[in-house]
Amino acid sequence: MARRESTVQRVEPVRGQVRLQGEPVAAYPEVPPEALRGEVRRITVVGEDVLHRRCRDVAEDEFGTPALARLVDDMFATMRVAEGAGLAANQIGVDLRLFVWDCFDDDGVRHVGHIFDPVLDELPAGARRLVEDEEGCLSVPGPRAALARPDRAVVRGRDLDGRPLVVEGRGYFARCLQHEADHLDGGLYIDRLAARERRAVLRRMEERKAEVFAGRAVRAEELAALRRTSA
């Protein structure tokens, strides 16, 4: 999912308030260490088959492996240069139920983490309310559209080592969790729009995608330079 634009950011980040893998931590680097370790990958675009089918579950013998850890690092690096709040594995062409996030909620708290085989809780009607907000997607480069989603989300899955993980989000972070979970089931946010609005978003994407791709290339060079100075 694309980061919220500064023009619609409702709150300033709260200094020192970070939740890593759903748990509060005293501090966390502005550039995640995963992004510094990872390699930037190409982001898939709407219309590519891997984005439009359910991703496979993670096999038991994959948890705790260097290959899986490298994948998480690569996703953080890719999300960073694309200015994303979240990124699903199929958005870099990998058929796997995994997504990562680096997202501020409406209270300015930063949430960072990854989750494998995520499942969204079905929340009772009394525990949620629908909120309409602008939403964008890294696989639909450029445009955004207003979409109503519940303002609370709880997702259950596993971490890199296969340990159980529960993450709760509210506001924009709840939107991020739902957006990424949709990806792993083969859905994009534009699939939730009326047909006419969906067509309009795709037209705007064609007009803006070259500019978006150019910006990502510049930020990829900046991340590579930062990686060299941090080595």
Side-chain angles (χ1 to χ4, degrees), residues 134-152:
E134 284 200 330
E135 191 165 326
C137 179
L138 305 183
S139 292
V140 187
R144 297 168 185 262
L147 181 66
R149 287 192 189 266
D151 69 341
R152 178 172 176 254

Side-chain angles (χ1 to χ4, degrees), residues 101-134:
W101 64 88
D102 188 346
C103 180
F104 287 96
D105 64 22
D106 291 356
D107 295 320
V109 177
R110 183 185 180 194
H111 299 261
V112 183
H114 69 268
I115 192 166
F116 293 89
D117 294 339
V119 177
L120 282 169
D121 278 6
E122 288 287 341
L123 300 177
R128 61 177 185 158
R129 66 187 179 97
L130 287 178
V131 173
E132 187 172 273
D133 203 345
E134 284 200 330

Side-chain angles (χ1 to χ4, degrees), residues 53-196:
R53 52 183 165 83
R54 187 185 188 278
C55 295
R56 72 169 179 87
D57 294 337
V58 184
E60 285 296 327
D61 60 2
E62 291 180 282
F63 287 107
T65 61
L68 217 55
R70 283 195 300 271
L71 176 59
V72 170
D73 289 348
D74 289 356
M75 290 177 65
F76 268 93
T78 305
M79 178 173 63
R80 176 79 186 181
V81 303
E83 296 187 322
L87 184 72
N90 56 353
Q91 291 185 273
I92 60 167
V94 177
D95 179 18
L96 197 68
R97 296 187 69 78
L98 158 67
F99 67 78
V100 302
W101 64 88
D102 188 346
C103 180
F104 287 96
D105 64 22
D106 291 356
D107 295 320
V109 177
R110 183 185 180 194
H111 299 261
V112 183
H114 69 268
I115 192 166
F116 293 89
D117 294 339
V119 177
L120 282 169
D121 278 6
E122 288 287 341
L123 300 177
R128 61 177 185 158
R129 66 187 179 97
L130 287 178
V131 173
E132 187 172 273
D133 203 345
E134 284 200 330
E135 191 165 326
C137 179
L138 305 183
S139 292
V140 187
R144 297 168 185 262
L147 181 66
R149 287 192 189 266
D151 69 341
R152 178 172 176 254
V154 177
V155 65
R156 300 174 189 273
R158 302 169 76 178
D159 69 8
L160 260 174
D161 296 313
R163 294 172 297 208
L165 177 64
V166 180
V167 178
E168 180 175 352
R170 295 182 180 274
Y172 203 71
F173 182 46
R175 180 173 296 271
C176 177
L177 294 175
Q178 294 168 81
H179 180 110
E180 302 308 329
D182 278 355
H183 270 304
L184 301 184
D185 288 332
L188 283 77
Y189 87 97
I190 59 173
D191 298 332
R192 294 179 176 270
L193 302 176
R196 183 175 180 180

